[in-house]
Amino acid sequence: MSSPSSSSRPRAETPETRPAAGARRLDLDVVRGIAILLAMGWHFSRYSSGNPVVDAVQWPGGTFGWAGVDLFFVLSGFLVGRLVLREHQRTGRFDSWRFSARRALKLWPVLYVFLVVYAFAGSEPWQSYFWQNALHVQNYAGTSLTHLWSLAVEEHFYLALALLFPLLARRRMSPKVLVGVLAGLLVTALALRWGGVLFDQSDVRIQWRTHFRMDSLAAGVLLAAVSVHRPATFDRLLRLRWLWAALCAAGIWWLATIGKDGALGQTLGYTVAYLTAASFLLTLYRASWVPRTRWLAQGVAAMGRYSYGIYIWHVLAAQLVTGWLPGMGYRTPTPGAQLAKYAAAITLGIVATLIVERPMPRLRDRLVPAAPRPAPRPAPEQAEVPSRDREPVGAAA
């Protein structure tokens, strides 16, 4: 479908919201920043610090910070989905080998360096986590590094995408078929969670295992399909920011009061989590007020730029710093201990990003170049993909 004309573009589109070619998007880095703050809060801030101000700041992470993973899932599905669908739109095909190799070269080095370091500096025996995480089966085989379960869900989902999407592409199936498949995944995952509850599957299995949690990633890819194949519809959705903000607030209320406990939480709770995440993404994506609040947005976005490294390393960093400081332990909730944990996690995550993750894209581009873009062809203006809606290839972390 053609892109919308200038008269149908959302009001949020301004020169401020258009990133330069290859630049990072401020709005998406803010989403990443919020996600990593929630995830750290869930691991660090679930007990009262004794200070009402600190407790108020920590309340979101300590109450529903587990949903930060779903925010990562939806954003990841949205960005990776756009890369895949745009490659197919440009070239008429999808190179699954290139996709998988480029993704591995971007994400695996940070993980494998962490696993090696943890074998020497961590407190758990290597047999309890190393091979499980190295092979990306930790969410089924079990792992003592419990925060890494979500990496396996992503790897399984994108492996399935790399294997199955070329089949759809070769058969020249319409975008409606893809939308139907994704919608089916949303229904299937919810039905499987209900089945898991009925057959007494543990809370951890329902939270961790891919077949129970694939809907969050599928929801992100569904948004990507709408944005690529129905850009006018997607632009109309972006005009409804008040609706998405209201749905996000309602979702936060659910997550804070019902959460992921009990039959309702283990089933609909995860559905509400990804719907809330999608609403939050639609509230911020290409919103003009994000760059206008640069004084606040830049700080959160800085966290987002290092979010992958922080996520991988934050638990170990907190364990190490609280083990070194007198009178502290990993679960010590005092304001001083909280400051030490967050500072160590952010610092080590930044260092890992700069030393391990950041050099890899250059090596990746030499070893596995990105899909070539075809020479531009004369076409009506309505058929062009507007530059304001392009994310850099590296944004799909």
Side-chain angles (χ1 to χ4, degrees):
M1 182 173 177
S2 63
S3 298
S5 64
S6 59
S7 62
S8 66
R9 290 174 183 169
R11 294 179 183 177
E13 184 209 347
T14 70
E16 290 178 288
T17 63
R18 287 181 214 153
R24 298 187 67 99
R25 293 193 62 108
L26 179 65
D27 48 4
L28 298 183
D29 277 335
V30 169
V31 175
R32 291 186 184 92
I34 294 296
I36 191 59
L37 286 171
L38 286 172
M40 285 195 295
W42 184 247
H43 295 134
F44 295 166
S45 306
R46 296 169 65 182
Y47 304 99
S48 173
S49 69
N51 183 302
V53 175
V54 173
D55 287 349
V57 172
Q58 294 184 147
W59 178 81
T63 306
F64 55 88
W66 58 269
V69 167
D70 292 272
L71 185 53
F72 275 127
F73 281 166
V74 171
L75 179 60
S76 175
F78 178 66
L79 294 177
V80 173
R82 284 169 68 88
L83 290 175
V84 170
L85 294 173
R86 282 183 165 172
E87 178 181 334
H88 179 251
Q89 191 178 62
R90 291 194 313 268
T91 66
R93 58 191 296 271
F94 171 61
D95 190 332
S96 58
W97 181 90
R98 178 190 288 117
F99 166 78
S100 300
R102 286 178 62 83
R103 178 175 170 79
L105 288 170
K106 179 176 176 60
L107 300 180
W108 288 2
V110 175
L111 172 63
Y112 292 136
V113 168
F114 168 77
L115 293 177
V116 172
V117 171
Y118 197 90
F120 293 95
S123 58
E124 303 292 339
W126 71 270
Q127 299 92 336
S128 68
Y129 67 86
F130 195 93
W131 67 269
Q132 297 92 326
N133 287 277
L135 298 177
H136 304 294
V137 295
Q138 64 269 32
N139 60 334
Y140 286 92
T143 175
S144 56
L145 301 181
T146 56
H147 71 291
L148 298 182
W149 66 269
S150 60
L151 303 184
V153 175
E154 287 204 56
E155 291 300 324
H156 300 162
F157 183 87
Y158 291 128
L159 176 61
L161 180 67
L163 294 175
L164 298 177
F165 186 79
L167 299 178
L168 296 177
R170 282 197 292 270
R171 292 177 177 272
R172 299 184 181 275
M173 292 185 178
S174 71
K176 291 182 180 179
V177 174
L178 175 62
V179 169
V181 170
L182 293 169
L185 290 179
L186 303 185
V187 175
T188 299
L190 177 59
L192 288 173
R193 288 198 293 270
W194 277 111
V197 170
L198 291 175
F199 288 96
D200 294 322
Q201 292 287 308
S202 69
D203 297 358
V204 171
R205 287 183 177 181
I206 292 176
Q207 182 177 9
W208 285 18
R209 295 192 166 180
T210 304
H211 58 286
F212 293 129
R213 301 303 311 279
M214 59 187 171
D215 47 353
S216 294
L217 287 155
V221 179
L222 183 59
L223 283 179
V226 176
S227 72
V228 171
H229 293 296
R230 295 291 185 269
T233 300
F234 189 71
D235 281 356
R236 285 195 293 271
L237 292 177
L238 292 182
R239 294 193 195 101
L240 303 176
R241 297 193 193 278
W242 60 269
L243 173 62
W244 306 124
L247 290 176
C248 186
I252 290 173
W253 173 84
W254 171 292
L255 298 176
T257 55
I258 298 175
K260 62 183 180 70
D261 297 324
L264 199 58
Q266 293 172 50
T267 52
L268 287 176
Y270 294 118
T271 299
V272 171
Y274 76 70
L275 291 176
T276 304
S279 298
F280 185 69
L281 175 60
L282 291 171
T283 301
L284 267 67
Y285 186 59
R286 294 190 348 220
S288 60
W289 57 266
V290 173
R292 290 173 187 166
T293 59
R294 189 170 295 273
W295 58 275
L296 176 62
Q298 286 284 23
V300 179
M303 296 285 295
R305 287 193 290 273
Y306 301 101
S307 57
Y308 180 61
I310 294 173
Y311 186 81
I312 296 291
W313 290 83
H314 73 282
V315 173
L316 175 61
Q319 291 172 342
L320 291 176
V321 74
T322 53
W324 292 335
L325 295 175
M328 289 187 186
Y330 177 71
R331 298 192 181 280
T332 302
T334 61
Q338 293 299 89
L339 177 62
K341 285 186 278 190
Y342 279 95
I346 294 169
T347 300
L348 191 52
I350 291 174
V351 170
T353 301
L354 295 176
I355 293 177
V356 182
E357 182 181 356
R358 289 284 170 86
M360 290 309 299
R362 292 189 292 272
L363 176 62
R364 178 188 64 180
D365 290 340
R366 287 198 297 269
L367 296 176
V368 189
R373 291 181 178 273
R377 295 176 299 173
E381 180 182 352
Q382 289 84 356
E384 296 175 357
V385 178
S387 62
R388 62 182 166 82
D389 203 26
R390 295 177 185 149
E391 279 86 34
V393 172

